[in-house]
Amino acid sequence: AGVCKFWPPHVHQLQLKVIQSCFLPYLISYLSTMKFSDISKPSSDLLGNDYCSNVTLKAKGLSAGPVSVSVETERSAAGTLSSKIGGKFAYAGLNFDKLEANADGSNVLETSLVPCPGCKMTFKAKKGADLGLEYTAGKMTTTGSLDVLNMSKFSTSACIGVSPAINLGGDLSYNLSGDKAGLSSYNVGASYATGPMFASVTTANKFAQFNVGVLYKVNKDLSLASSTTHSSAKACNVAAIGGSYSGLGSVGTIKAKVGSNGVTSACLVKEIAPKVNLTASGSISGTDTSTFKYGLGITM
């Protein structure tokens, strides 16, 4: 496509190399086999990741024999410190992906097991307990999850790459008990990538709302993204619009966004030492300085 058949063969080859070097990296980064929950991930990550309003210190990758340990401490607005300790390890083919103890006394357990290629069984326990299954075959990924604590809900999803640029998928949830037993939610979505452009459309609230995410890589340093919602109540609501710039060398990566609620946010992500990252973030509603909030995080 886009190559003139009347040109000499060596010109055809040069054109194809240019197209592949410019566009293929974007397609590979966007369109690897994905779960339906990740169908809008490129744009949502740019608009959502790294912004914070708290002060944290994270130490990851600490080794205690076969266990990888992480410690996260957070400072509240009142000045008190609270910490949570996590770990992960594998034993006899069973992966303990997260073992976490929180300051409030709650615990988190997440495990996974791969019984055969392309198939992963998961178990996640926090306030509830969910048994899950993920299966990938070719360009299609399916998931399923069952609440095994209360036997109250089952959910499933599927996503398939129908072409090198297009992914289609959907999900649904079914309540198994109570007055609301029956189909509780169902939605579909699609994503499309071409060159530096990525776009996704997903439904919400049983097709009552459409969510549109767009990401455009202007160049290797600058990316722009937007998120809009569309419904019968409001034809177009710009949920957020923002960008990321990493072309300032040692300064780090700068991100900024504006939400439909009038809140403007910005953050700076910088590696201040080998394997030590600093994230500084701030937000303000309109021009009211009393609403200013800041966040600071260090990860090592």
Side-chain angles (χ1 to χ4, degrees):
V3 179
C4 178
K5 64 182 179 180
F6 300 109
W7 288 356
H10 71 279
V11 177
H12 292 177
Q13 294 176 1
L14 178 61
Q15 278 188 309
L16 289 173
K17 287 181 179 180
V18 171
I19 292 172
Q20 290 173 351
S21 64
C22 291
F23 296 156
L24 192 59
Y26 296 117
L27 293 178
I28 291 174
S29 65
Y30 291 151
L31 299 175
S32 56
T33 302
M34 68 176 69
K35 295 184 289 186
F36 177 70
S37 59
D38 294 331
I39 202 165
S40 303
K41 186 176 176 62
S43 56
S44 61
D45 277 1
L46 190 146
L47 293 172
N49 288 355
D50 301 320
Y51 297 99
C52 61
S53 59
N54 50 9
V55 179
T56 60
L57 173 63
K58 299 179 184 179
K60 303 190 299 183
L62 306 175
S63 296
V67 182
S68 177
V69 179
S70 62
V71 180
E72 179 177 346
T73 301
E74 179 177 337
R75 181 182 181 273
S76 70
T80 58
L81 300 178
S82 62
S83 299
K84 57 184 178 182
I85 300 175
K88 61 179 181 179
F89 66 96
Y91 178 76
L94 178 63
N95 299 308
F96 290 84
D97 301 312
K98 180 183 284 189
L99 292 167
E100 187 176 274
N102 297 307
D104 60 4
S106 63
N107 300 296
V108 179
L109 170 64
E110 296 184 6
T111 65
S112 63
L113 176 68
V114 180
C116 61
C119 180
K120 182 168 74 170
M121 300 180 65
T122 63
F123 177 76
K124 298 180 180 182
K126 191 175 181 180
K127 294 181 179 179
D130 297 319
L131 183 64
L133 178 67
E134 299 176 9
Y135 182 71
T136 300
K139 297 179 181 179
M140 185 171 186
T141 297
T142 58
T143 68
S145 179
L146 174 66
D147 174 11
V148 294
L149 180 63
N150 301 312
M151 298 301 292
S152 61
K153 185 178 181 180
F154 171 76
S155 59
T156 184
S157 73
C159 187
I160 183 171
V162 297
S163 78
I166 300 174
N167 285 272
L168 301 176
D171 65 4
L172 63 86
S173 297
Y174 191 91
N175 289 332
L176 301 173
S177 61
D179 297 335
K180 297 183 179 180
L183 196 61
S184 58
S185 70
Y186 47 86
N187 293 290
V188 297
S191 67
Y192 176 72
T194 176
M197 173 71 77
F198 172 88
S200 66
V201 179
T202 58
T203 66
N205 302 325
K206 299 180 180 179
F207 292 89
Q209 178 177 299
F210 289 84
N211 305 319
V212 179
V214 177
L215 173 68
Y216 182 71
K217 289 181 175 288
V218 180
N219 52 46
K220 66 182 181 67
D221 297 320
L222 178 62
S223 296
L224 303 175
S226 67
S227 175
T228 60
T229 61
H230 310 266
S231 64
S232 59
K234 192 169 185 179
C236 180
N237 175 48
V238 181
I241 184 169
S244 171
Y245 186 69
S246 57
L248 298 177
S250 60
V251 174
T253 299
I254 298 174
K255 300 175 67 176
K257 67 177 180 179
V258 179
S260 59
N261 56 1
V263 176
T264 301
S265 305
C267 69
L268 170 68
V269 182
K270 176 180 173 60
E271 186 177 45
I272 56 177
K275 297 182 180 181
V276 179
N277 292 320
L278 168 70
T279 301
S281 181
S283 66
I284 187 171
S285 178
T287 57
D288 185 359
T289 57
S290 65
T291 63
F292 177 76
K293 297 179 181 179
Y294 72 93
L296 184 66
I298 296 178
T299 303
M300 63 181 68

